[in-house]
């Protein structure tokens, strides 16, 4: 009789465990799919909605964990994989942001250097050098890339001001060159007049 009861008990437990094990198998597959989706998101860390998608995955995971917990060792192993995948998304996003910040800072430094090149021009600079510097700086400014948003407008204003000053310097340089030519001509005329006066006295 005892053996018969044991067989009945085993059969009853099997009838209960079979659907439960099947449900857990399906649930495990669902968790593995969530892990795959999280891993795929880490490749698109800079995507516009990536972080929102990670949050949604985390919420889904919590729903599954509450709905049907798996055996502790299986649950812990899957959670470790899922957490590593979601952490990788955040790390990749942070790295992308840091790289972008560094890129913008390098653009800012390049633009500041160009402004300083214009500001270094003075009345001693030749007309040809002023022209060459303005053309070179204009070309490099267009290629320098965008600066950080918080300083972009200020840099643009400084650039315009420095460029206008360089253009005025260029205009003044032409006038100075013309003045020097006139002075040289006047000196030559004076020498000629002096020579003629000397010849007349003879």
């Amino acid at each position: 009789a005892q053996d018969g009861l044991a067989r009945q008990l085993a059969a009853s437990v099997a009838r209960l465990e079979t659907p439960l094990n099947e449900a857990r198998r399906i649930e495990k597959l669902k968790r593995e799919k969530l892990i795959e989706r999280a891993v795929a998101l880490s490749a698109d860390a800079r995507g516009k909605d990536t972080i929102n998608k990670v949050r949604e995955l985390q919420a889904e995971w919590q729903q599954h964990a509450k709905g049907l917990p798996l055996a502790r060792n299986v649950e812990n192993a899957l959670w470790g994989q899922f957490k590593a995948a979601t952490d990788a998304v955040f790390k990749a996003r942070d790295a992308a942001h840091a790289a972008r910040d560094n890129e913008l800072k390098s653009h800012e430094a390049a633009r500041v250097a160009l402004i300083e090149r214009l500001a270094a021009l003075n009345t001693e600079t030749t007309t040809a050098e002023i022209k060459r510097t303005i053309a070179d700086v204009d070309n490099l400014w267009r290629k320098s890339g965008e600066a950080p948003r918080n300083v972009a407008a200020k840099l643009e204003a400084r650039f315009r001001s420095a460029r206008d000053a360089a253009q005025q310097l260029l205009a003044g340089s032409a006038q100075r060159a013309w003045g020097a030519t006139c002075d040289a001509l006047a000196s030559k005329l004076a020498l000629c007049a002096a020579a003629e006066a000397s010849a007349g006295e003879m």
Side-chain angles (χ1 to χ4, degrees):
Q2 192 172 13
D3 289 344
L5 288 173
R7 284 194 296 274
Q8 287 179 8
L9 178 61
S12 297
V13 169
R15 282 198 304 272
L16 291 174
E17 282 187 341
T18 299
L20 179 60
N21 287 338
E22 179 61 16
R24 282 179 171 166
R25 186 187 70 79
I26 293 170
E27 190 61 33
K28 181 175 180 286
L29 291 174
K30 289 179 180 178
R31 309 267 177 99
E32 289 170 348
K33 287 291 183 188
L34 290 176
I35 292 168
E36 288 175 13
R37 287 166 57 194
V39 169
L41 285 175
S42 66
D44 187 31
R46 293 182 71 171
K48 187 176 180 182
D49 298 327
T50 299
I51 298 305
N52 288 337
K53 289 176 181 175
V54 170
R55 303 283 188 216
E56 289 169 6
L57 284 180
Q58 290 172 328
E60 280 187 57
W61 186 279
Q62 292 302 322
Q63 288 174 355
H64 284 286
K66 289 176 183 175
L68 180 59
L70 304 176
R72 179 168 292 186
N73 62 330
V74 175
E75 186 78 57
N76 288 343
L78 290 172
W79 169 248
Q81 293 175 44
F82 180 74
K83 188 173 186 312
T86 54
D87 286 349
V89 175
F90 290 111
K91 285 177 183 174
R93 180 201 58 176
D94 291 345
H97 285 173
R100 179 62 175 157
D101 288 344
N102 289 337
E103 181 184 16
L104 291 175
K105 284 178 183 174
S106 71
H107 294 170
E108 178 184 0
R111 290 191 164 208
V112 168
L114 292 174
I115 292 168
E116 289 172 353
R117 276 186 67 186
L118 289 174
L121 299 173
N122 56 51
T123 55
E124 301 300 317
T125 311
T126 64
T127 302
E129 181 61 23
I130 294 172
K131 285 181 180 178
R132 189 165 45 252
T133 300
I134 291 173
D136 191 31
V137 167
D138 281 350
N139 181 43
L140 292 173
W141 185 268
R142 285 190 296 272
K143 295 178 180 177
S144 63
E146 63 179 309
R149 193 174 296 175
N150 61 327
V151 297
K154 290 178 183 176
L155 286 175
E156 188 68 31
R158 283 180 60 196
F159 171 70
R160 292 294 160 207
S161 176
R163 194 181 185 287
D164 289 346
Q167 288 286 13
Q168 290 173 3
L169 196 62
L170 182 61
S173 177
Q175 290 175 355
R176 286 191 299 277
W178 173 248
T181 301
C182 290
D183 290 344
L185 185 57
S187 296
K188 288 178 182 178
L189 287 173
L191 288 173
C192 287
E196 287 176 359
S198 298
E201 290 175 0
M202 292 179 174

